Amino acid sequence: LRGFEWYCLWQHMNRPVHSFDTDFCVSPAGHRLIRGADGGLAVGDDAGRVRHTLPGTRGPVPWTAVAFCGAGRRAAFGTPTGTGRPWDVRVYDLEDGTVVGRVQLPALSRLTLDRSGTLLAAAGGGRLTVWELPTGRERFTVAVPAPHAGLAFTADARTLWH
């Protein structure tokens, strides 16, 4: 049996975020993510002013579809699209807001980036896929059992824990 705290944490981690009246989160490098005036995510300064927006991040973003690289300079966000490939995953450089990688997935339950932000792994729908972000090339896809407890690269990015 699990304690009350576990159920509260699970509920918090698995519900979509619908508003960002306060700070959303802070990356390992100190970038503050807030909601911009257009409803999308934005990188803000300490006073809450928008430095630059992250295009394509409108709507609810589930906590399980957010990942930062170990260095904190890059972040990946998965947003539901409501189309045939219902998840749009974009990787942003948080310094200037540019999109450095993008993939579309039929299902998504977990995301992770390696320490440098050059590898993206996504699990969902019984599949685990890894992409190289500089080239956009899919490295591999394997069948994995669901549910997905989590994803994490080792520090050297040679091993992916699932």
Side-chain angles (χ1 to χ4, degrees):
L1 293 176
R2 295 183 171 120
F4 172 77
E5 296 85 2
W6 183 90
Y7 289 103
C8 287
L9 178 62
W10 184 91
Q11 195 172 39
H12 179 72
M13 295 298 290
N14 289 288
R15 68 179 166 85
V17 176
H18 293 286
S19 68
F20 296 101
D21 294 333
T22 59
D23 290 343
F24 168 49
C25 58
V26 178
S27 81
H31 299 95
R32 187 179 306 265
L33 298 176
I34 59 175
R35 268 294 173 203
D38 67 349
L41 289 177
V43 176
D45 61 17
D46 289 339
R49 293 182 299 264
V50 173
R51 286 180 34 208
H52 48 267
T53 60
L54 304 176
T57 57
R58 269 193 214 150
V61 179
W63 288 104
T64 55
V66 176
F68 291 99
C69 71
R73 182 182 168 98
R74 291 185 173 179
F77 300 96
T79 54
T81 64
T83 63
R85 296 187 68 83
W87 285 93
D88 184 26
V89 178
R90 297 179 191 205
V91 180
Y92 297 89
D93 184 317
L94 296 177
E95 293 294 317
D96 59 15
T98 58
V99 176
V100 296
R102 183 176 182 187
V103 297
Q104 292 190 326
L105 305 168
L108 176 67
S109 64
R110 296 281 188 244
L111 279 178
T112 192
L113 290 165
D114 73 328
R115 181 179 289 288
S116 66
T118 58
L119 294 176
L120 170 70
R127 297 175 6 149
L128 172 66
T129 307
V130 175
W131 291 269
E132 294 176 355
L133 292 175
T135 63
R137 185 175 71 88
E138 185 178 307
R139 253 198 194 179
F140 65 85
T141 298
V142 295
V144 294
H148 308 285
L151 291 176
F153 281 101
T154 56
D156 62 3
R158 299 179 98 196
T159 305
L160 177 65
W161 174 82
H162 172 264

